[in-house]
Amino acid sequence: MEIITIKDIARLCGVGVSTVSRAINNHPDINEETKAMIMQVIRENNYVPNNSARNLKRTDSKAIAVLIKGITNPFFSNMIKIFEKKIKEKKYSFILQHVDNKENEVDIAIELIKEKKLKGIVFLGGHFSHPDEKLRMLNVPFVLSTIATMENLDKSICSSVSVDDFKESYKIVDYLCKQGHKKIAIITAPMDDESIGMLRFNGYTRALKDNGIEINKNLIGIMKDELESYSMENGYAVATELLNKNEDFTAIYAICDSMAIGACKAIFDIGKTVPEDYSVLGFDGLDIASYYNPSITTIRQPVEEIAEETIKILFNVISKKTLVEHKTFQGELVVGQSTKSI
Amino acid sequence: MEIITIKDIARLCGVGVSTVSRAINNHPDINEETKAMIMQVIRENNYVPNNSARNLKRTDSKAIAVLIKGITNPFFSNMIKIFEKKIKEKKYSFILQHVDNKENEVDIAIELIKEKKLKGIVFLGGHFSHPDEKLRMLNVPFVLSTIATMENLDKSICSSVSVDDFKESYKIVDYLCKQGHKKIAIITAPMDDESIGMLRFNGYTRALKDNGIEINKNLIGIMKDELESYSMENGYAVATELLNKNEDFTAIYAICDSMAIGACKAIFDIGKTVPEDYSVLGFDGLDIASYYNPSITTIRQPVEEIAEETIKILFNVISKKTLVEHKTFQGELVVGQSTKSI
C-alpha cells in the first residue's frame, strides 16, 4: 500500500501542511469548514498521522489534568462536566486521570507533568496528606478541589476550594436538634479516618454537645470495611444494625446522601416510614437526594460553583495573578421531606 | 542540590538497581516489605525517577486501556471496578480513558496504542458506527462492551459483549401487557437515535403489537435535547408533559432507570402514587433502582458478568485462542414495587 503523507493530504485539500496539522490537532485557529473538509479527505485516504510529529505537536499544546479519586462517585459527575467545559473554553485540552485508591496522586501528577507538559493540575476528591517537600516537586500550578486537607498542610504552597465539612455537618445536626431530636444516630467513617469522615463526625459531636446532648456510643454506626465506603449498600447495612439494636432513636444522620438513601431503605424494609418513624439526613446534595421519595434533607455542596472557582483560581495562578488562593464555600441546608420536628 | 540517582537509592537500600526499578514501577515481582522500604528511602531523599528511563520501562510494561463514553453514568461504576481488578490480576496495567461525546473513540484508541504500547482495548458504552476500514487500523485486540452495534458492522473484525437491547425491552413491555396494561407511555430517545434508544424503542413497539395494542403517538415522550440525556431530570420533564396531556394511561416505561426515577418523582409531585395510580418501569438494573422507594421494576443487565466476560474474551484474543467472539447475555426481569397488575 502506498504511504500517504501529510503533504499528500495538503495537496489533495489545496491547503498548506500547517493547516492540515491544525485540523488534525484540533487547533482552535482553523475554520470549521476547512477542518471538516480536511478530516473528510484524511478519512477517505486512510491517512494515519505520523506519531512522533504528532506527539511533538501535542506536547506543544496546553493541557490541564484533573486527577480524580473516586471516579464513580456521583458527587463528581457534574463537576467533571464543568471542568471539561471551562478548560476547553480557555483553549486548553482536558485530561481526566483516574487515581486508584491505593495510588499516590502526587506521583501520578509528577509523571503526567513530564509526559504531557501540563500547565496545571486539579486534584479532586479523597484526602491529602503528602509531605510539603513532596508537594514542592510539583512544578506546575495546582488546586485541591473538594479535598479534606489536614490542618498541618502548608497553605502557602497550594490552593484549595471546598466547603467547611466540620461547619456544615455542625449546621445540619444543629438544625435537627432544634427540631426537637435528642437521640440522633450517625452513620460515619471509621474512627481513624483523617478525611471528610472525621470532619463531619466532629461536626456531629460538637453540635450535640452545644445542644446539651450527651454522645451515646451505641448510636454511632461505623461504615463496614468489607463494603464499598460511602455507598447505599453500606448505609443500608449499618442502618439495619442500628435499627436492630433495641436502642431508642428518632433520627439517622448519614454523612453522605448515598448512605442516607440506604438508611431509608433499611427503615422501609422493617415496615417503618420516613419521616414519621425516623427522620433521615444526608450530606452532599446529590441529584438523587431531591429525586428520592421522600426527598432527603441534606447539605447541598455548591458543586458547580466549586468547580468553576477551582478553574478560575488555577488560571489565576497560571497567569501569575495570584500565588495561592483558598476559597471555602457555604453549603446550603436543604430541608427535604425526610425529616420532621418532634 | 545534589542529584540523587537510582544507584544512590539502590546503595542506600542495599539492593540492586533493578530491584529499585521494580519498586518504582509497581512490578508485581517484588517483596512488599522490600518495596515499602525502598519507597520510604526514595521519599526521604526526594528522588525523582528519571523520566525517559521510566517511560522506557513503562512502554515495556503491558497495558490494557478501557475507553469509556459517559464516564459519569452510574451504569458503568461497577464495571470499571471489575475491569480494573481483572486487568491487574493478569499483571497488566489499567488505563481508564474518558471519551468526550464529540470525540471519535477510534482516533483516541489509535493514538493511545502508539503512546502506551497497548496490548488490548475495551470500548465501553455509546454506539459504534465506524467504517470497517477505520476499525482495521486498530492493530491490537479490542472488545466492544455494552455497545449498541449497528447491524452492518462486520462481526469478523471485532468482538462484543452486551445484552440484546431489543429483546430485553420487548420482555419488560410484554410483561407489563400481560399484567393487563394497555395504555403504556414510553420515555425514549429521539427517533433518529441509532443506539440503544432505537433498539429499546423497537422492543416496545413490537411488544405492543404482539399483544394487539395499537401504538398511540401521544404516549411517546421524547427526551429533551436541552437536558442531559438519560438523566433523572430528563425523565422528570418528559413524564410531567405526559401527565399534563390529558391522555389516559396506566404505566410509564422509561428506557433507563434514571429516567424512571425522574418519572416517579413527577407522579408524586402531582399528588399521585406509584404503582397505585401509575406503574413505572425502567431498564438497566442500577443499584438505585432497588434502593428507590418504591423499588423500580426493571431489566437488570448482568454488568459484573458482562465486565468479566469482556476481559476474558479480550485475553482470549490477545493470546490468540480465538480470533473474535460475540457474547450476548440475558437480562433479568426484576419485578419491583413500582408496577401492579390491573
Side-chain angles (χ1 to χ4, degrees):
Chain A
M1 194 178 95
E2 202 188 336
I3 301 289
I4 306 273
T5 69
I6 194 168
K7 283 184 194 166
D8 297 325
I9 298 295
R11 190 177 38 77
L12 287 167
C13 295
V15 300
V17 166
S18 64
T19 306
V20 177
S21 169
R22 278 204 291 274
I24 292 167
N25 292 296
N26 275 316
H27 194 287
D29 189 16
I30 180 173
N31 177 290
E32 277 301 318
E33 276 175 31
T34 310
K35 179 175 160 188
M37 180 267 290
I38 294 169
M39 294 314 286
Q40 177 72 18
V41 172
I42 284 175
R43 274 191 296 273
E44 284 167 8
N45 290 277
N46 286 339
Y47 166 64
V48 184
N50 180 276
N51 184 36
S52 51
R54 206 163 167 202
N55 268 344
L56 209 63
K57 192 75 203 165
R58 281 178 67 246
T59 51
D60 265 1
S61 89
K62 306 170 294 181
I64 304 288
V66 175
L67 274 70
I68 175 172
K69 272 212 166 162
I71 204 160
T72 59
N73 183 339
F75 179 70
F76 297 128
S77 301
N78 292 333
M79 294 184 78
I80 292 173
K81 282 168 210 148
I82 291 169
F83 287 140
E84 184 157 19
K85 181 165 161 275
K86 291 285 164 188
I87 290 169
K88 289 188 172 168
E89 274 174 17
K90 298 273 189 185
K91 312 284 186 208
Y92 279 64
S93 62
F94 166 72
I95 297 168
L96 184 66
Q97 176 75 41
H98 161 64
V99 179
D100 195 290
N101 251 333
K102 288 161 205 151
E103 287 176 321
N104 182 315
E105 56 266 70
V106 178
D107 285 337
I108 293 181
I110 291 171
E111 198 169 304
L112 265 182
I113 291 168
K114 291 169 179 169
E115 280 181 0
K116 304 278 186 182
K117 303 262 194 290
L118 294 186
K119 298 290 187 250
I121 299 172
V122 174
F123 291 102
L124 184 65
H127 76 293
F128 221 69
S129 55
H130 305 283
D132 293 349
E133 313 81 61
K134 185 100 186 207
L135 293 184
R136 290 206 179 84
M137 288 188 195
L138 295 168
N139 53 2
V140 301
F142 64 97
V143 180
L144 311 183
S145 191
T146 66
I147 285 181
T149 53
M150 292 306 97
E151 287 188 2
N152 53 5
L153 185 81
D154 182 350
K155 292 211 163 187
S156 70
I157 58 170
C158 67
S159 300
S160 70
V161 187
S162 67
V163 299
D164 182 332
D165 286 279
F166 169 79
K167 204 177 107 187
E168 300 302 333
S169 183
Y170 182 96
K171 190 196 287 178
I172 195 167
V173 177
D174 184 60
Y175 163 79
L176 195 62
C177 296
K178 300 287 190 282
Q179 298 293 307
H181 291 265
K182 289 186 186 342
K183 295 172 176 170
I184 303 172
I186 186 170
I187 303 178
T188 189
M191 286 299 136
D192 58 356
D193 182 85
E194 291 194 329
S195 179
I196 56 164
M198 184 198 63
L199 297 170
R200 293 181 189 175
F201 179 71
N202 290 348
Y204 160 82
T205 55
R206 176 71 71 85
L208 291 189
K209 277 180 197 159
D210 286 356
N211 282 278
I213 300 167
E214 242 180 276
I215 311 296
N216 178 351
K217 284 192 179 161
N218 291 328
L219 294 184
I220 300 174
I222 305 289
M223 59 173 96
K224 304 201 166 299
D225 243 10
E226 68 272 22
L227 300 177
E228 192 188 341
S229 56
Y230 296 93
S231 66
M232 293 185 287
E233 190 186 11
N234 220 322
Y236 181 89
V238 178
T240 301
E241 277 189 5
L242 286 167
L243 292 164
N244 286 336
K245 260 187 182 172
N246 277 332
E247 189 78 32
D248 204 29
F249 57 94
T250 60
I252 301 181
Y253 166 45
I255 64 163
C256 74
D257 289 338
S258 294
M259 293 200 296
I261 285 168
C264 284
K265 195 71 184 175
I267 291 167
F268 301 141
D269 279 2
I270 60 164
K272 301 281 184 181
T273 55
V274 178
E276 290 74 15
D277 296 308
Y278 295 98
S279 289
V280 175
L281 303 91
F283 195 111
D284 282 342
L286 298 185
D287 288 348
I288 187 66
S290 59
Y291 281 99
Y292 200 70
N293 176 39
S295 60
I296 308 289
T297 296
T298 187
I299 293 288
R300 195 184 89 83
Q301 299 200 55
V303 282
E304 292 82 6
E305 289 88 335
I306 290 174
E308 286 177 9
E309 188 70 18
T310 298
I311 299 303
K312 197 176 135 199
I313 290 178
L314 185 63
F315 280 99
N316 281 346
V317 181
I318 290 173
S319 66
K320 303 202 194 313
K321 248 190 226 168
T322 53
L323 205 58
V324 293
E325 288 185 55
H326 296 275
K327 175 122 187 180
T328 306
F329 278 90
Q330 295 271 345
E332 180 194 356
L333 173 64
V334 179
V335 177
Q337 305 156 332
S338 68
T339 44
K340 65 160 191 175
S341 61
I342 56 174
Chain B
M1 194 177 99
E2 202 187 339
I3 299 291
I4 307 272
T5 69
I6 194 168
K7 282 184 192 165
D8 298 325
I9 298 294
R11 190 177 38 77
L12 288 166
C13 296
V15 301
V17 166
S18 64
T19 306
V20 178
S21 169
R22 278 204 290 275
I24 293 168
N25 293 295
N26 275 316
H27 194 287
D29 191 16
I30 179 171
N31 177 289
E32 276 302 316
E33 277 175 33
T34 309
K35 180 174 157 186
M37 180 268 288
I38 294 169
M39 293 315 284
Q40 176 72 17
V41 172
I42 284 176
R43 273 191 296 274
E44 284 167 8
N45 290 276
N46 287 339
Y47 167 65
V48 184
N50 181 276
N51 184 36
S52 52
R54 209 167 164 198
N55 267 344
L56 208 65
K57 191 75 203 168
R58 282 181 65 245
T59 52
D60 264 4
S61 89
K62 305 170 295 181
I64 304 288
V66 175
L67 274 69
I68 176 173
K69 272 210 165 166
I71 204 161
T72 60
N73 184 341
F75 179 70
F76 298 128
S77 301
N78 292 332
M79 294 183 78
I80 291 173
K81 283 169 210 149
I82 292 169
F83 286 140
E84 184 158 19
K85 179 164 164 274
K86 291 285 165 189
I87 289 170
K88 288 187 172 169
E89 273 175 20
K90 298 272 189 184
K91 312 282 186 208
Y92 280 63
S93 63
F94 166 71
I95 296 169
L96 184 66
Q97 175 76 41
H98 161 65
V99 179
D100 194 288
N101 251 333
K102 288 160 206 153
E103 287 176 322
N104 182 316
E105 56 264 73
V106 177
D107 284 338
I108 292 180
I110 291 171
E111 197 169 304
L112 266 181
I113 291 168
K114 291 171 179 171
E115 281 181 0
K116 305 277 185 181
K117 302 266 194 288
L118 293 185
K119 297 290 188 250
I121 298 172
V122 173
F123 291 101
L124 184 64
H127 76 293
F128 221 70
S129 55
H130 305 282
D132 293 349
E133 313 83 59
K134 184 99 188 209
L135 293 183
R136 289 203 180 87
M137 288 189 196
L138 294 168
N139 53 2
V140 301
F142 64 97
V143 179
L144 311 185
S145 190
T146 67
I147 285 180
T149 52
M150 293 304 96
E151 288 189 0
N152 54 5
L153 186 81
D154 182 350
K155 293 210 164 191
S156 71
I157 58 170
C158 66
S159 299
S160 70
V161 187
S162 67
V163 300
D164 182 332
D165 286 281
F166 169 80
K167 204 178 108 187
E168 300 302 332
S169 182
Y170 182 97
K171 190 196 284 179
I172 195 166
V173 177
D174 184 60
Y175 163 78
L176 194 63
C177 296
K178 300 284 189 284
Q179 298 293 308
H181 291 266
K182 289 188 188 340
K183 294 170 178 169
I184 303 171
I186 186 170
I187 302 177
T188 189
M191 287 300 136
D192 58 355
D193 181 86
E194 290 195 329
S195 179
I196 56 164
M198 183 197 65
L199 297 169
R200 293 180 189 175
F201 179 73
N202 290 348
Y204 160 84
T205 55
R206 175 71 70 85
L208 292 190
K209 277 179 197 158
D210 287 358
N211 282 278
I213 300 167
E214 241 180 276
I215 311 297
N216 177 352
K217 283 189 180 162
N218 291 327
L219 294 183
I220 300 174
I222 305 291
M223 58 174 96
K224 305 204 165 296
D225 244 8
E226 66 274 21
L227 300 177
E228 192 187 340
S229 54
Y230 297 94
S231 66
M232 293 186 286
E233 189 187 13
N234 220 323
Y236 181 88
V238 178
T240 300
E241 278 189 4
L242 285 167
L243 293 164
N244 286 334
K245 260 187 183 172
N246 277 329
E247 187 80 29
D248 203 31
F249 56 95
T250 62
I252 300 181
Y253 166 45
I255 64 164
C256 74
D257 289 339
S258 294
M259 293 200 295
I261 285 168
C264 284
K265 195 70 184 175
I267 291 166
F268 300 141
D269 278 0
I270 59 163
K272 301 281 184 180
T273 56
V274 178
E276 291 74 15
D277 297 307
Y278 295 97
S279 289
V280 175
L281 303 92
F283 195 112
D284 281 341
L286 298 185
D287 289 348
I288 187 64
S290 59
Y291 282 98
Y292 199 72
N293 176 38
S295 61
I296 308 289
T297 297
T298 187
I299 293 288
R300 195 184 91 82
Q301 299 201 54
V303 281
E304 291 82 6
E305 290 89 335
I306 290 174
E308 286 178 10
E309 188 72 17
T310 297
I311 299 303
K312 196 175 137 198
I313 290 178
L314 185 63
F315 280 98
N316 281 347
V317 181
I318 289 173
S319 66
K320 302 200 194 315
K321 247 189 225 168
T322 52
L323 205 57
V324 292
E325 287 184 55
H326 295 275
K327 175 121 184 179
T328 305
F329 278 91
Q330 295 271 344
E332 180 194 354
L333 173 63
V334 180
V335 177
Q337 304 157 332
S338 67
T339 44
K340 66 161 192 173
S341 61
I342 55 174

